[in-house]
Amino acid sequence: MHVTIDEDGCVGAGQCALAAPEVFDQRDEDGIVVLLDETPAPHLHEATRAAATLCPALAIHLAE
Amino acid sequence: MSEPSSKPAFPRKHAAGCPFDPAEDYQGFRENDPVARVSCPAGVDAWLVTRYDDVRTVLGSSALSSSVPPIAHADPQAVFDDPVLPGSILQLDGAEHVRLRRLLTAEFSVKRIQALRPHIQQVIDSHVDAMLESGGPVDLVRALALPIPSLVICELLGVPYAQRDRFEKQSAIMSSVDVDPVIAKQADVEIMGYVRDLVHEKMRDPGDDLTSRLIRRSEESPRPLTVDELVMLVLSLLVAGHETTTNMIALGTTVLLRHPDQVEALRTEPGLLPSAVEELLRYLTIVHFGLFRSVTQDIPLGAETLRAGDWLIAALASGNRDASVFSDADRLDVRRRPAAHLGFGYGAHQCLGQQLARVELQQVFGTLFTRVPTLRLAVPVEELDFKDDSVVYGLHSLPVTW
């Protein structure tokens, strides 16, 4: 699994950081997504997919 | 526009005798006419989008504008051509909306809100203490549902302690619909005055609060906010911070009291609280009229094409009961696996304060049903006074005892 993010599209809702905190965080200064792990381990795949689905801005892209 | 419409009416009421369920009509729309033309109380026809996937598609699209108030369709007195006031974050599109939202997103991030959890718990404990000391029956809206979110948002915004009572009183009036319009207008003007004073005070003497940080962040941005924009933005947070969580606490408590098995599950497995809150947000969909938008570019949707200039209603409550996404969708199930419900909306305007709402609701329900295990309604459910006509669905009062 390879994760990419679209910082410009991010609306800072925090859904990803809540669903998959090992993979996504939010910048302290503006709440925008920070990708912690662009190739998450298999045990994180389900949470990462959930984060991509939850994102209200479609700012998370997964290549599997 | 004034011709009599032969189209079905927008389903404005909840299901007959089922105050927790959306109108029965929605199921028929989802099955037979998922992108339907309906006539609205506001006197216009609109597309009614009722399936979960379609609701996400339209709210995620940049071919829609939010410039008309999000529930205007349901309001017979709606005015469609009022100019959008500067700083009205709910009604701005594209880059103008992003400019405002990005000044606030840091304040409502997961980490920032998690750090508030112990303090929120203290606020809840002190209100539950006071409720228990007073003895039942009490109105849970006045005892907990209104003051807890109100105190939390006032503290966050840096409203001085001495002014909190006045803020609470005026904002309660502002968010009701069953108030004399003259009194409502007066409350509007008064609270706007308070917020303007607050903004000026924080400009002169900044503190460790959201309003002061917003002002500083704005000053450092390429195009700082005007005072009018700041006032409107802070006012939006104040109103949104009261109204929604208050109604979720009151409605959520009521619906849980009607499902004792689910309350028992929460008591024995507190780890279920996060999924229970998501489920309540899905099941209750307090933004019960859905979201009103205008189409700015043609959008193909199912068998229809929505044309630029058309009106559209994204029926959040219907999408949240779409059985193709949520199995047994009309059943409340606190163990339901978390899914991307529409309770906070979807798209660029999805609820900014959702992390705060989650933490408040998790702590309130966790505390209330543990500390008051014999909690029960003090009147039959048929006598409860639901906010059928309000922007946000909820209860005017909730008599409980224990």
Side-chain angles (χ1 to χ4, degrees), chain B residues 55-92:
Chain B
V55 169
R56 280 182 42 125
T57 299
V58 294
L59 290 179
S61 161
S62 56
L64 292 185
S65 168
S66 307
S67 65
V68 170
I71 49 81
H73 58 294
D75 178 2
Q77 267 95 48
V79 179
F80 285 71
D81 46 9
D82 266 359
V84 175
L85 295 173
S88 304
I89 190 167
L90 292 178
Q91 289 176 245
L92 292 169

Side-chain angles (χ1 to χ4, degrees), chain B residues 190-254:
Chain B
E190 274 197 47
I191 202 157
M192 197 79 150
Y194 293 157
V195 174
R196 190 168 292 274
D197 291 347
L198 177 71
V199 165
H200 280 297
E201 190 195 310
K202 300 297 176 187
M203 287 172 125
R204 269 196 314 273
D205 183 17
D208 180 19
D209 54 67
L210 192 159
T211 309
S212 301
R213 289 189 295 269
L214 171 65
I215 292 167
R216 196 192 59 230
R217 223 176 275 127
S218 153
E219 282 166 356
E220 291 165 358
S221 74
R223 185 154 59 90
L225 301 173
T226 64
V227 171
D228 284 348
E229 284 178 317
L230 279 167
V231 171
M232 185 56 83
L233 206 48
V234 173
L235 182 68
S236 307
L237 296 178
L238 188 65
V239 174
H242 274 91
E243 177 76 3
T244 48
T245 314
T246 295
N247 286 314
M248 272 306 299
I249 292 172
L251 271 187
T253 302
T254 312

Side-chain angles (χ1 to χ4, degrees), chain B residues 73-194:
Chain B
H73 58 294
D75 178 2
Q77 267 95 48
V79 179
F80 285 71
D81 46 9
D82 266 359
V84 175
L85 295 173
S88 304
I89 190 167
L90 292 178
Q91 289 176 245
L92 292 169
D93 299 318
E96 285 301 299
H97 170 247
V98 170
R99 169 179 168 246
L100 298 189
R101 182 157 174 135
R102 289 230 168 169
L103 293 172
L104 290 167
T105 34
E107 300 292 337
F108 296 97
S109 72
V110 171
K111 272 182 297 190
R112 188 69 72 90
I113 298 299
Q114 290 297 339
L116 293 177
R117 197 186 282 267
H119 177 66
I120 291 170
Q121 184 61 49
Q122 282 173 11
V123 170
I124 294 168
D125 284 336
S126 69
H127 283 82
V128 173
D129 288 345
M131 184 181 96
L132 290 173
E133 274 164 31
S134 78
V138 300
D139 173 8
L140 190 108
V141 172
R142 298 246 161 258
L144 303 180
L146 191 60
I148 291 169
S150 171
L151 190 61
V152 169
I153 194 72
C154 282
E155 286 181 346
L156 206 56
L157 292 174
V159 175
Y161 195 77
Q163 285 177 30
R164 273 179 206 157
D165 277 356
R166 301 174 75 189
F167 262 95
E168 271 185 38
K169 194 167 147 239
Q170 299 305 329
S171 66
I173 295 173
M174 258 178 80
S175 55
S176 311
V177 283
D178 52 355
V179 189
D180 183 314
V182 178
I183 295 174
K185 182 80 204 164
Q186 200 185 330
D188 233 23
V189 170
E190 274 197 47
I191 202 157
M192 197 79 150
Y194 293 157

